[in-house]
Amino acid sequence: MTLSEELQWRGFVNQTTYPELTALDGGPITFYWGVDPSADSMTIGNLAAAMLVKAFIKHGHKPVLLIGGATGLIGDPDGKAQERDLKTPEEIDRNSQTIVAQYAQIFQSSDYQVVNNRDWFQDIKYLDFLRDIGKHVPMRQMLGRDFVQSRLGEQGAGISYAEFSYVLIQAYDFLHLYKEAGVTLQLCGADQWGNSVAGVDLIRRKTGAEAQVFSTPLVVNKATGKKFGKSEAGAVWLDAAKTSPFQFYQFWLNVDDDSVEDYLKIFTELDQPAVESTMQEFEHDRGGRAAQKALAYEVTKLVHGSEQAERIQRASAVLFGGGDFRALSAEEAAVLKQELPVVQAGGGLAAVVVAAGLAASNSEAMRFIRAGAISVNGQKVDGAAADPFQAGDNLLKRGKNNFAVVEKSQ
């Protein structure tokens, strides 16, 4: 499968300046893709674009990964109804370091170069920039942007000169990388199309050369029609401190049936035969959720490593598939102890159920026990059992989806 064929199969094609996609199937192209460090982690929205980058790398093209240390100090106004709150240089530096570390995890087997646009902007003099760059950027082009029109409209919040100039800064990035690193292509999400083609225009006006842009669609949740990656708690982050690896895995495990094939193509490196085989198994028994399980494992492996993904896979099988909790390793049990209430055994079963938050009172706990709604380590508890807990860690469960870990001293 050529790159142009793979991009179409995976659903990565949105807009491009190339007349034909097959232009990507020739010799190696040096390209760049960037992330502004406006937060201390990337989200799965960024991950979708990173998977596009990985497809280009797999087919022999050469990546330059940019950190927007300069653009991050301003903030991209596109899609924002109001001015952003500015980050301090110290925040931007800290955020940049974490994103570089995430680049290292996602692209760990690839040969790539990391650059920070703050390195070339910090010494540029204002008047020189206006003469050398600003002179070549038409105001009509900048004023015509949709977000500018909405911000300047009657009901708009207005726009500062700083945010208005963001597109000019990003356009210069492309020009700089064209001159210094031979970059002739920018990859981006659909929401960055306008900023990216401004760089193409600047390169043409300054050098007479031709550069290109390829954008990938923003991923939309088919079930809700909303931008993918937002949960009730907010964005789904790649940083384990912001979205735990277990919660990350569960997010993918719970995606809707109608979208799971799209996500397998976008967010994993499984090839076409592997995806088709997984979907055949899924269609044969949707209740088994083979597609969601494959998706959750593959994406968690990519972001958090294979060992962590395997631990979470086994721990999840215990919670939701009836596996043996006591057979989990200490590391696998620790995954669950980070996510579930942890209480000490003692005072009788009803008291432990209440302490774990699985009942509001002893009398309610006893009703659950008598109804057979309480289990310990996968076994329903006889109402007469005074102490069903074994030494060490135990899994306490009420109903289908309410859990706690009960620790009992040796």
Side-chain angles (χ1 to χ4, degrees), residues 238-310:
L238 306 193
D239 188 332
K242 297 171 76 70
T243 299
S244 75
F246 182 84
Q247 293 166 349
F248 187 83
Y249 183 95
Q250 298 306 315
F251 174 84
W252 299 103
L253 194 62
N254 289 306
V255 300
D256 62 282
D257 290 353
D258 291 339
S259 300
V260 68
E261 183 175 6
D262 290 344
Y263 301 157
L264 281 168
K265 293 176 182 178
I266 294 168
F267 290 100
T268 80
E269 294 182 280
L270 295 177
D271 60 16
Q272 187 171 5
V275 170
E276 289 175 351
S277 175
T278 299
M279 290 307 299
Q280 286 173 2
E281 181 181 356
F282 171 71
E283 294 296 349
H284 180 72
D285 175 21
R286 287 200 168 201
R289 301 182 71 76
Q292 283 89 345
K293 289 175 180 177
L295 175 68
Y297 174 77
E298 291 294 330
V299 187
T300 305
K301 179 178 71 172
L302 174 69
V303 174
H304 296 294
S306 57
E307 287 187 6
Q308 184 74 296
E310 288 164 10

Side-chain angles (χ1 to χ4, degrees), residues 254 319-320 340 358 396-404:
N254 289 306
L319 285 191
F320 305 111
L340 303 176
L358 304 186
L396 178 66
K397 180 179 179 182
R398 191 203 83 209
K400 290 185 177 181
N401 295 307
N402 299 283
F403 305 94

Side-chain angles (χ1 to χ4, degrees), residues 306-341:
S306 57
E307 287 187 6
Q308 184 74 296
E310 288 164 10
R311 289 187 195 116
I312 296 168
Q313 184 181 55
R314 288 190 286 267
S316 294
V318 165
L319 285 191
F320 305 111
D324 183 1
F325 176 79
R326 298 282 293 183
L328 292 179
S329 68
E331 292 81 5
E332 292 159 1
V335 169
L336 295 182
K337 292 174 77 172
Q338 290 173 356
E339 302 295 328
L340 303 176

Side-chain angles (χ1 to χ4, degrees), residues 2 93 119 128 202 205:
T2 65
D93 286 345
D119 291 340
D128 291 342
L202 181 59
R205 289 172 180 272

Side-chain angles (χ1 to χ4, degrees), residues 9-209:
W9 174 71
R10 291 193 183 274
F12 280 146
V13 181
N14 183 57
Q15 289 176 280
T16 181
T17 53
Y18 285 111
E20 299 290 340
L21 275 183
T22 52
L24 297 169
D25 299 332
I29 299 166
T30 302
F31 69 91
Y32 94 96
W33 171 68
V35 174
D36 275 354
S38 53
D40 58 358
S41 172
M42 291 191 285
T43 68
I44 60 172
N46 302 120
L47 181 61
M51 298 307 291
L52 168 69
V53 172
K54 287 175 75 69
F56 272 75
I57 294 171
K58 183 176 76 171
H59 286 270
H61 299 305
K62 300 179 179 180
V64 176
L65 305 181
L66 182 141
I67 292 289
T71 38
L73 287 169
I74 304 301
D76 186 357
D78 202 348
K80 301 293 184 291
Q82 296 181 332
E83 289 277 324
R84 289 173 176 265
D85 292 330
L86 295 178
K87 302 286 185 182
T88 66
E90 292 74 22
E91 286 179 288
I92 293 295
D93 286 345
R94 287 195 299 272
N95 294 351
S96 297
Q97 291 171 13
T98 61
I99 292 173
V100 169
Q102 289 172 352
Y103 283 169
Q105 172 64 32
I106 295 168
F107 301 106
Q108 59 182 291
S109 59
S110 305
D111 183 16
Y112 63 89
Q113 177 185 0
V114 174
V115 296
N116 189 324
N117 61 9
R118 196 167 168 186
D119 291 340
W120 54 82
F121 269 107
Q122 62 187 353
D123 295 325
I124 291 179
K125 295 179 180 179
Y126 181 64
L127 288 177
D128 291 342
F129 187 73
L130 290 180
R131 286 178 59 86
D132 295 342
I133 304 303
K135 190 69 174 175
H136 297 275
V137 180
M139 283 295 294
R140 179 178 295 179
Q141 182 186 75
M142 296 178 72
L143 287 168
R145 301 288 299 280
D146 288 342
F147 78 88
V148 174
Q149 292 296 311
S150 65
R151 293 271 285 270
L152 294 178
E154 202 168 297
Q155 303 300 320
I159 186 168
S160 69
Y161 179 73
E163 287 200 355
F164 179 73
S165 301
Y166 181 93
V167 63
L168 181 59
I169 300 171
Q170 185 169 321
Y172 181 77
D173 286 342
F174 202 168
L175 175 64
H176 176 86
L177 292 173
Y178 169 77
K179 290 180 174 179
E180 300 299 324
V183 169
T184 58
L185 169 65
Q186 180 177 0
L187 303 187
C188 65
D191 56 344
Q192 288 294 308
W193 175 258
N195 290 339
S196 301
V197 295
V200 170
D201 188 61
L202 181 59
I203 290 171
R204 179 181 59 79
R205 289 172 180 272
K206 282 287 291 180
T207 71

